[in-house]
Amino acid sequence: MNNNVEIEIQVNIENSKPLIEFLEKNAIFQKENRQIDEYFSPIHRNFTEVRPVKEWLRLRDSNGKYSINYKNWHFDEVGKSHYCDEYETKVEDLDQLKRIFEVLNFKSIVKVDKVRKVWTYGEYEIAMDSVKGLGDFVEIEYIGKDNQADPKKITDEMIEFIKSINCGKITRNYVGYPFQLLFPGEVELEEQ
């Protein structure tokens, strides 16, 4: 897949036990870490004024390893997104970068604090996230090599994969953790 395109889904599942058992038997455990993500928006172009929110600028502290990430989501005609353009790189000094943001009139808008467990299975990276203030989620990201992959087809396959494990009710959101924390009344969940 193109290094700057991300195809993923984020869902809540009724029962995580079958998925965890499946992953422990069939997938490769990668890591568990705590991630603190701080999201920023330029004052001159407030990312969160537009619906659906397309752009996110994030600084991440992942157990003392830092990165900056910008995502620009692409939405279909009914306002659903299956992929985004993503640009990410390591950061040496997070505090200094925050000072640069401050000078450039970027304001901090929300922090997402989560514990993430990650496995790889086939062409998927599967993360079990426990997000402070929101609860538990599953994120599945396509890590396959097909540069021509159809994002809608891939995300439909991800949903079928989760359904095949019998985790009970599956609800999907198209907005991500920062939006859910900032605008909980606007979050629409779609049963799969």
Side-chain angles (χ1 to χ4, degrees):
M1 194 72 217
N2 178 333
N3 286 342
N4 296 114
V5 174
E6 178 183 67
I7 301 172
E8 74 175 10
I9 63 168
Q10 185 181 91
V11 297
N12 292 91
I13 56 176
E14 187 174 38
N15 183 2
S16 63
K17 187 178 178 190
L19 178 58
I20 291 169
E21 289 174 353
F22 175 88
L23 293 172
E24 287 174 347
K25 288 179 187 171
N26 302 292
I28 300 167
F29 182 75
Q30 297 296 325
K31 63 187 169 196
E32 177 177 345
N33 59 1
R34 180 176 181 209
Q35 297 178 337
I36 300 174
D37 297 338
E38 188 170 2
Y39 289 82
F40 292 82
S41 182
I43 291 174
H44 67 281
R45 189 166 64 93
N46 185 347
F47 294 158
T48 62
E49 285 181 341
V50 178
R51 295 293 186 275
V53 176
K54 296 181 42 146
E55 298 175 278
W56 294 104
L57 179 63
R58 177 191 78 208
L59 296 182
R60 172 172 285 170
D61 177 345
S62 183
N63 288 352
K65 294 182 179 178
Y66 311 121
S67 64
I68 183 172
N69 176 289
Y70 169 79
K71 291 185 181 186
N72 183 16
W73 289 93
H74 298 272
F75 293 90
D76 64 17
E77 61 281 348
V78 293
K80 294 179 182 174
S81 181
H82 302 280
Y83 75 103
C84 69
D85 299 323
E86 179 180 45
Y87 306 93
E88 185 168 20
T89 191
K90 295 175 186 175
V91 170
E92 186 174 317
D93 187 333
L94 199 61
D95 291 331
Q96 194 67 1
L97 189 53
K98 287 180 185 181
R99 287 186 197 100
I100 292 169
F101 279 8
E102 187 177 316
V103 169
L104 294 174
N105 286 323
F106 281 72
K107 65 178 181 173
S108 174
I109 55 174
V110 68
K111 283 187 180 180
V112 177
D113 186 346
K114 67 180 176 286
V115 174
R116 172 170 277 187
K117 295 178 183 176
V118 180
W119 290 265
T120 53
Y121 175 74
E123 295 184 320
Y124 299 151
E125 179 179 273
I126 302 166
M128 301 285 293
D129 290 339
S130 182
V131 183
K132 188 175 182 180
L134 291 178
D136 296 331
F137 295 83
V138 176
E139 276 194 7
I140 302 177
E141 181 177 343
Y142 176 72
I143 57 172
K145 304 294 183 209
D146 183 357
N147 288 331
Q148 305 301 316
D150 175 7
K152 172 82 168 85
K153 181 178 182 279
I154 296 289
T155 57
D156 287 347
E157 289 169 357
M158 291 173 177
I159 292 295
E160 290 308 312
F161 165 73
I162 289 284
K163 284 181 177 179
S164 74
I165 296 174
N166 298 316
C167 297
K169 182 178 170 185
I170 301 167
T171 53
R172 181 175 177 184
N173 75 77
Y174 292 86
V175 294
Y177 304 138
F179 189 92
Q180 291 178 70
L181 288 168
L182 286 166
F183 310 106
E186 294 183 39
V187 177
E188 294 179 16
L189 300 175
E190 183 178 278
E191 192 166 339
Q192 300 296 297

